[in-house]
Amino acid sequence: VQLQASGGGKAQPGESLRLSCSAAGFALASYAVGWFRQASGTERQWVSCIMRDDSTTYYQDSVKGRFTISRDNDKNTVYLQMNSLKPEDTAVYYCSADYLYTSRCGSRDYSGSTRDDYWGQGTQVTVSS
């Protein structure tokens, strides 16, 4: 079982990046997937999550209207399209998968999987001019 987050990098304010979360060893279609971020000196918090398909998605207010989460179950991958990036979006971004029927995706206390192997390794996003 493995999740791999990728696509991070450096961007200027207003630019875009797309993160990918790819799964190996299990079918991501049976899982809710969340993106989390952790800025330096802060706790990790969820940013967005997606249930079975693109019709059920959730966002924190800070990214609503700028970020879009989507999934391609054929490719076993979930994406986070990040537009109009701001310096405050700078953080390490993680993805996590937890079973659809017990996931708290979208709830205030959503914290992703309790298993380390259902977390990606993190990808750095730096937004700076």
Side-chain angles (χ1 to χ4, degrees):
V1 172
Q2 186 178 23
L3 276 177
Q4 184 170 2
S6 62
K10 294 182 179 180
Q12 293 191 349
E15 292 186 340
S16 300
L17 287 172
R18 188 176 80 156
L19 305 184
S20 298
C21 177
S22 300
F26 68 105
L28 205 54
S30 297
Y31 292 78
V33 178
W35 284 99
F36 297 75
R37 67 185 180 187
Q38 186 169 21
S40 180
T42 69
E43 292 186 355
R44 187 168 59 191
Q45 59 174 208
W46 73 270
V47 173
S48 178
C49 62
I50 186 167
M51 295 297 280
R52 184 184 299 276
D53 55 42
D54 292 1
S55 65
T56 308
T57 59
Y58 302 91
Y59 301 91
Q60 289 285 3
D61 287 345
S62 57
V63 305
K64 204 171 290 184
R66 300 189 297 121
F67 290 11
T68 303
I69 192 170
S70 62
R71 66 191 305 159
D72 185 335
N73 290 331
D74 290 339
K75 293 183 178 179
N76 229 19
T77 300
V78 169
Y79 304 97
L80 185 68
Q81 177 67 42
M82 306 187 296
N83 297 331
S84 303
L85 283 164
K86 302 177 180 180
E88 51 263 43
D89 295 320
T90 295
V92 179
Y93 284 71
Y94 302 87
C95 60
S96 177
D98 61 326
Y99 194 52
L100 269 172
Y101 298 103
T102 56
S103 177
R104 293 185 59 76
C105 167
S107 65
R108 187 170 183 172
D109 61 351
Y110 173 55
S111 59
S113 177
T114 57
R115 293 180 52 169
D116 289 343
D117 52 350
Y118 283 84
W119 283 87
Q121 81 284 10
T123 184
Q124 176 72 46
V125 171
T126 302
V127 184
S128 173
S129 56

